Amino acid sequence: MQAILYVAHGSRMKAGVEQAVAFLQRVQQDIALPIQEICFLELAEPTIAQGIENCFRQGATAIAIMPILLLAAQHAKHDIPKEIDKAQKRYPTVHFTYGEPLGVHELLIDTLQKRILETQFHSNNASVLLIGRGSSDPAVREDLTKIALRLRDKYGYGKVDTCFLYGAGPNLEEWLAQRKQDNEQVFIVPYLLFTGILRQSIAKRLQGYEVKNMILCNSLGYDDNVRKVLVERIIDLIKRNYLEEGCFS
């Protein structure tokens, strides 16, 4: 019997966990599978190991693991696969497949534009800054750059920059230091799913710099476009599982 396990990141804030669960419960309604469980990578329960056990106890013979992550960094490439390897040893008769993060997708570009328009400050000569969580993986910087370029080209911005809160690559403070003498209007969009601690951190950092014409937008968040992209990724994963094992039911 086919199961799917959604792996959300987790948060120290109760609201962050609740937002993820509420979003994934909406996604579950679009997926016609008998066993669907939600778990967290860190900072919340159930853990990945507990989520896999919950699927197995319900009779799962195949478990599709779906990461609820924006980009493929350390968590997607190492942490979750490590948990899958452990589970494979514990449940040798279960077939595991692993999905892709949301990645670069046209619908996510549209949501970024929606976040900008929500501010009602839009102007034709504005620029944009996308702020990612951060990673030491160069692929994360490459993907966020692809997203930035697509946003620029699709919606006609003069410039779309990127920076990160943590890890390698340009950080927010470096970007702000370069902007001190620039009066061009800039929309700052956190490229994050949850709108909690990290967005608060961004707002606090901006207060310490006397840079004009900066507008902090809402985070990417859990909107319908994100849901559609996730459902698309899930369908691709289940199809792959069916082709590999013929165990879709």
mmCIF file of all heavy atoms in Angstrom, residues 36 42 54 81 87 90 96 100 117 143 145 178 197 206 210 212 218 242-243:
data_model
loop_
_atom_site.group_PDB
_atom_site.id
_atom_site.type_symbol
_atom_site.label_atom_id
_atom_site.label_comp_id
_atom_site.label_asym_id
_atom_site.label_seq_id
_atom_site.Cartn_x
_atom_site.Cartn_y
_atom_site.Cartn_z
ATOM 1 N N GLN A 36 -1.409 9.171 4.470
ATOM 2 C CA GLN A 36 -0.690 10.437 4.341
ATOM 3 C C GLN A 36 -0.350 10.949 5.740
ATOM 4 O O GLN A 36 -1.244 11.179 6.552
ATOM 5 C CB GLN A 36 -1.526 11.476 3.608
ATOM 6 C CG GLN A 36 -1.926 11.064 2.190
ATOM 7 C CD GLN A 36 -2.574 12.206 1.431
ATOM 8 O OE1 GLN A 36 -1.973 13.263 1.234
ATOM 9 N NE2 GLN A 36 -3.807 12.008 1.005
ATOM 10 N N GLU A 42 13.128 19.007 12.081
ATOM 11 C CA GLU A 42 13.712 19.385 13.369
ATOM 12 C C GLU A 42 12.760 20.326 14.101
ATOM 13 O O GLU A 42 11.805 20.841 13.530
ATOM 14 C CB GLU A 42 15.072 20.075 13.178
ATOM 15 C CG GLU A 42 15.022 21.329 12.321
ATOM 16 C CD GLU A 42 16.378 21.930 12.043
ATOM 17 O OE1 GLU A 42 17.393 21.278 12.353
ATOM 18 O OE2 GLU A 42 16.421 23.060 11.513
ATOM 19 N N ASN A 54 4.672 5.646 11.656
ATOM 20 C CA ASN A 54 3.227 5.819 11.558
ATOM 21 C C ASN A 54 2.690 5.268 10.232
ATOM 22 O O ASN A 54 1.613 4.659 10.183
ATOM 23 C CB ASN A 54 2.856 7.291 11.706
ATOM 24 C CG ASN A 54 3.078 7.811 13.113
ATOM 25 O OD1 ASN A 54 3.128 7.036 14.071
ATOM 26 N ND2 ASN A 54 3.217 9.115 13.258
ATOM 27 N N PRO A 81 17.925 12.272 3.421
ATOM 28 C CA PRO A 81 18.391 10.968 2.921
ATOM 29 C C PRO A 81 19.026 10.100 4.001
ATOM 30 O O PRO A 81 18.881 8.868 3.963
ATOM 31 C CB PRO A 81 19.420 11.363 1.841
ATOM 32 C CG PRO A 81 18.935 12.676 1.339
ATOM 33 C CD PRO A 81 18.407 13.376 2.566
ATOM 34 N N ALA A 87 15.851 4.244 7.965
ATOM 35 C CA ALA A 87 14.542 3.596 7.898
ATOM 36 C C ALA A 87 14.572 2.367 6.995
ATOM 37 O O ALA A 87 13.911 1.362 7.278
ATOM 38 C CB ALA A 87 13.499 4.593 7.401
ATOM 39 N N ARG A 90 15.721 -0.481 8.923
ATOM 40 C CA ARG A 90 14.742 -0.918 9.918
ATOM 41 C C ARG A 90 13.540 -1.593 9.265
ATOM 42 O O ARG A 90 12.956 -2.520 9.835
ATOM 43 C CB ARG A 90 14.285 0.283 10.739
ATOM 44 C CG ARG A 90 13.337 -0.094 11.866
ATOM 45 C CD ARG A 90 13.027 1.085 12.762
ATOM 46 N NE ARG A 90 12.139 0.692 13.853
ATOM 47 C CZ ARG A 90 11.684 1.523 14.781
ATOM 48 N NH1 ARG A 90 12.044 2.808 14.758
ATOM 49 N NH2 ARG A 90 10.882 1.091 15.725
ATOM 50 N N PHE A 96 11.177 2.822 -0.506
ATOM 51 C CA PHE A 96 11.203 4.264 -0.260
ATOM 52 C C PHE A 96 11.570 5.008 -1.541
ATOM 53 O O PHE A 96 12.467 4.595 -2.282
ATOM 54 C CB PHE A 96 12.238 4.613 0.817
ATOM 55 C CG PHE A 96 11.858 4.160 2.199
ATOM 56 C CD1 PHE A 96 12.248 2.921 2.669
ATOM 57 C CD2 PHE A 96 11.108 4.981 3.034
ATOM 58 C CE1 PHE A 96 11.904 2.493 3.946
ATOM 59 C CE2 PHE A 96 10.752 4.562 4.311
ATOM 60 C CZ PHE A 96 11.152 3.315 4.765
ATOM 61 N N GLU A 100 11.633 15.858 -4.795
ATOM 62 C CA GLU A 100 12.447 17.058 -4.975
ATOM 63 C C GLU A 100 11.842 18.234 -4.218
ATOM 64 O O GLU A 100 10.617 18.338 -4.090
ATOM 65 C CB GLU A 100 12.522 17.417 -6.464
ATOM 66 C CG GLU A 100 13.168 16.359 -7.337
ATOM 67 C CD GLU A 100 14.653 16.262 -7.107
ATOM 68 O OE1 GLU A 100 15.263 17.273 -6.683
ATOM 69 O OE2 GLU A 100 15.223 15.171 -7.337
ATOM 70 N N LEU A 117 3.044 43.380 -5.100
ATOM 71 C CA LEU A 117 1.846 44.165 -5.395
ATOM 72 C C LEU A 117 0.987 44.386 -4.159
ATOM 73 O O LEU A 117 0.276 45.392 -4.059
ATOM 74 C CB LEU A 117 1.032 43.478 -6.492
ATOM 75 C CG LEU A 117 1.697 43.393 -7.876
ATOM 76 C CD1 LEU A 117 0.798 42.640 -8.845
ATOM 77 C CD2 LEU A 117 2.018 44.781 -8.407
ATOM 78 N N ASP A 143 20.247 28.610 -7.705
ATOM 79 C CA ASP A 143 18.793 28.530 -7.906
ATOM 80 C C ASP A 143 18.107 29.847 -7.553
ATOM 81 O O ASP A 143 17.190 30.287 -8.258
ATOM 82 C CB ASP A 143 18.205 27.391 -7.070
ATOM 83 C CG ASP A 143 18.450 26.030 -7.696
ATOM 84 O OD1 ASP A 143 18.854 25.985 -8.869
ATOM 85 O OD2 ASP A 143 18.234 25.014 -7.006
ATOM 86 N N THR A 145 19.428 32.749 -7.730
ATOM 87 C CA THR A 145 19.772 33.674 -8.820
ATOM 88 C C THR A 145 18.882 33.438 -10.036
ATOM 89 O O THR A 145 18.417 34.385 -10.679
ATOM 90 C CB THR A 145 21.249 33.497 -9.212
ATOM 91 O OG1 THR A 145 22.089 33.840 -8.102
ATOM 92 C CG2 THR A 145 21.606 34.398 -10.396
ATOM 93 N N GLN A 178 25.924 48.633 0.730
ATOM 94 C CA GLN A 178 26.061 49.107 -0.641
ATOM 95 C C GLN A 178 24.916 50.023 -1.062
ATOM 96 O O GLN A 178 25.052 50.796 -2.016
ATOM 97 C CB GLN A 178 26.137 47.915 -1.600
ATOM 98 C CG GLN A 178 27.361 47.042 -1.393
ATOM 99 C CD GLN A 178 27.304 45.775 -2.222
ATOM 100 O OE1 GLN A 178 26.342 45.528 -2.949
ATOM 101 N NE2 GLN A 178 28.345 44.952 -2.118
ATOM 102 N N ILE A 197 10.055 34.009 12.871
ATOM 103 C CA ILE A 197 11.267 34.540 13.476
ATOM 104 C C ILE A 197 12.204 35.171 12.457
ATOM 105 O O ILE A 197 12.750 36.250 12.699
ATOM 106 C CB ILE A 197 11.999 33.427 14.253
ATOM 107 C CG1 ILE A 197 11.174 32.997 15.472
ATOM 108 C CG2 ILE A 197 13.377 33.895 14.707
ATOM 109 C CD1 ILE A 197 11.752 31.828 16.219
ATOM 110 N N LEU A 206 16.864 45.784 9.286
ATOM 111 C CA LEU A 206 16.621 46.948 8.439
ATOM 112 C C LEU A 206 16.533 48.232 9.248
ATOM 113 O O LEU A 206 16.913 49.304 8.771
ATOM 114 C CB LEU A 206 15.328 46.756 7.636
ATOM 115 C CG LEU A 206 15.316 45.632 6.600
ATOM 116 C CD1 LEU A 206 13.957 45.553 5.923
ATOM 117 C CD2 LEU A 206 16.417 45.826 5.572
ATOM 118 N N GLU A 210 20.090 53.409 7.741
ATOM 119 C CA GLU A 210 19.370 54.562 7.211
ATOM 120 C C GLU A 210 19.367 54.490 5.686
ATOM 121 O O GLU A 210 20.061 55.227 5.000
ATOM 122 C CB GLU A 210 20.010 55.856 7.696
ATOM 123 C CG GLU A 210 19.913 56.046 9.205
ATOM 124 C CD GLU A 210 20.541 57.347 9.657
ATOM 125 O OE1 GLU A 210 21.069 58.089 8.796
ATOM 126 O OE2 GLU A 210 20.517 57.608 10.868
ATOM 127 N N LYS A 212 16.878 54.637 2.427
ATOM 128 C CA LYS A 212 15.556 55.121 2.056
ATOM 129 C C LYS A 212 14.873 54.182 1.058
ATOM 130 O O LYS A 212 15.501 53.405 0.360
ATOM 131 C CB LYS A 212 15.675 56.517 1.440
ATOM 132 C CG LYS A 212 16.257 57.570 2.390
ATOM 133 C CD LYS A 212 16.368 58.903 1.685
ATOM 134 C CE LYS A 212 16.948 59.962 2.616
ATOM 135 N NZ LYS A 212 17.089 61.267 1.944
ATOM 136 N N ASN A 218 5.682 40.750 2.569
ATOM 137 C CA ASN A 218 5.443 39.481 3.232
ATOM 138 C C ASN A 218 6.305 38.391 2.602
ATOM 139 O O ASN A 218 6.720 38.488 1.442
ATOM 140 C CB ASN A 218 3.971 39.084 3.124
ATOM 141 C CG ASN A 218 3.084 39.930 4.006
ATOM 142 O OD1 ASN A 218 3.478 40.349 5.091
ATOM 143 N ND2 ASN A 218 1.871 40.207 3.544
ATOM 144 N N TYR A 242 5.650 4.295 -8.962
ATOM 145 C CA TYR A 242 4.848 3.289 -9.673
ATOM 146 C C TYR A 242 5.691 2.607 -10.765
ATOM 147 O O TYR A 242 5.636 1.389 -10.936
ATOM 148 C CB TYR A 242 3.625 3.944 -10.285
ATOM 149 C CG TYR A 242 2.771 3.016 -11.093
ATOM 150 C CD1 TYR A 242 1.988 2.033 -10.481
ATOM 151 C CD2 TYR A 242 2.741 3.103 -12.471
ATOM 152 C CE1 TYR A 242 1.208 1.174 -11.226
ATOM 153 C CE2 TYR A 242 1.974 2.244 -13.231
ATOM 154 C CZ TYR A 242 1.206 1.286 -12.602
ATOM 155 O OH TYR A 242 0.429 0.435 -13.357
ATOM 156 N N LEU A 243 6.486 3.405 -11.479
ATOM 157 C CA LEU A 243 7.311 2.854 -12.546
ATOM 158 C C LEU A 243 8.395 1.937 -11.979
ATOM 159 O O LEU A 243 8.751 0.922 -12.579
ATOM 160 C CB LEU A 243 7.953 3.982 -13.351
ATOM 161 C CG LEU A 243 6.999 4.813 -14.208
ATOM 162 C CD1 LEU A 243 7.737 5.998 -14.822
ATOM 163 C CD2 LEU A 243 6.364 3.950 -15.303
#
